[in-house]
Amino acid sequence: MRVLLHHRPQDIPPGLWCYRIDSSRCLLGGALNDVGRAVSWLLDTLALDGVVLDEIAAADPSPDTPGVLPFLTGERSTGWAGSARAVFADVSASTDASAMARGMLEGIAGSYRRVSDELERAATDVGRIVAAGRVTQELPSWLQILGDYLGTPVIHQTIKRSTCRGNALLMLESLAPDVECSSPEPAGTYTPRDSAQEYYRGVHDRFERLYGAAVEGS
């Protein structure tokens, strides 16, 4: 997750990285270990297929969903905790594979929320998020979870090599500023639902408590 800044921030949040582009611009962002890997783990370990997992992502939120820290291979942004591992909380005898998977998908959104919160310290006027990559292609319904969790519209972009396109746009601003750039049509926009906001506030409060105990407290 990253944002282009047309200024150099006075302070770089500790959970993020910052790449200087030129004298006036920089790219500020954070990187997550376990997004595509976490989805693959759900498919392999819980024996779910992609269609079922997308249906799970599209389902209404449930208070019975476990809380999950999705750190299967450690955490990069925001805590840089290489020894962190996944945590499932509030699992009972009635918790099934679908609930475990839903908890993991919400936990991934929680990791993005931690990056987003630090980004907002330097970029306060971000009004939308453009999402691309393998997981968004395979599980488009997960983008509604992300939009609800972040409280920001998420635009689904299906072009390949979106990072390469971003690099090209940055170079064109300097090399050919008068050239009009193409704007690919998005596949859809996932707008935060008012009815889900209270639920995800509670989910994130639990995420932060688990993070404090399992990562910061270790």
Side-chain angles (χ1 to χ4, degrees):
M1 176 177 266
R2 61 261 192 188
V3 64
L4 175 65
L5 299 179
H6 288 271
H7 66 277
R8 297 175 62 183
Q10 294 295 318
D11 297 301
I12 299 173
L16 305 181
W17 42 255
C18 185
Y19 297 150
R20 181 176 175 179
I21 298 170
D22 52 33
S23 60
S24 61
R25 297 180 301 164
C26 65
L27 198 64
L28 182 70
L32 306 183
N33 270 6
D34 297 309
V35 181
R37 184 183 290 112
V39 170
S40 296
W41 184 86
L42 291 175
L43 297 173
D44 296 340
T45 305
L46 301 184
L48 301 169
D49 64 39
V51 174
V52 171
L53 194 55
D54 193 55
E55 292 173 350
I56 291 170
D60 291 333
S62 169
D64 296 327
T65 300
V68 178
L69 299 182
F71 307 135
L72 297 171
T73 59
E75 184 202 20
R76 283 193 279 176
S77 297
T78 55
W80 309 109
S83 61
R85 291 296 179 263
V87 172
F88 285 78
D90 299 321
V91 175
S92 71
S94 62
T95 303
D96 58 14
S98 294
M100 299 280 280
R102 175 72 184 215
M104 179 67 85
L105 296 176
E106 292 181 0
I108 295 170
S111 293
Y112 276 112
R113 168 67 182 275
R114 287 181 63 84
V115 176
S116 176
D117 286 347
E118 292 207 358
L119 283 173
E120 287 183 0
R121 290 166 50 184
T124 58
D125 57 348
V126 174
R128 63 191 181 116
I129 295 169
V130 178
R134 178 176 71 86
V135 170
T136 71
Q137 300 279 53
E138 296 177 358
L139 300 177
S141 295
W142 174 75
L143 294 176
Q144 186 63 61
I145 294 176
L146 184 64
D148 288 338
Y149 205 125
L150 300 182
T152 306
V154 174
I155 297 171
H156 185 197
Q157 190 58 260
T158 58
I159 63 171
K160 294 182 179 180
R161 302 290 184 259
S162 58
T163 299
C164 293
R165 179 177 184 272
N167 292 337
L169 291 175
L170 291 177
M171 290 187 289
L172 283 172
E173 285 192 18
S174 298
L175 300 177
D178 298 328
V179 173
E180 183 178 354
C181 299
S182 65
S183 298
E185 286 293 323
T189 299
Y190 296 80
T191 303
R193 298 170 296 185
D194 292 339
S195 60
Q197 296 306 295
E198 182 177 356
Y199 171 81
Y200 283 107
R201 280 194 293 270
V203 169
H204 194 60
D205 286 345
R206 178 174 60 182
F207 186 99
E208 289 294 327
R209 291 196 300 272
L210 291 173
Y211 188 93
V215 180
E216 292 177 343
S218 61

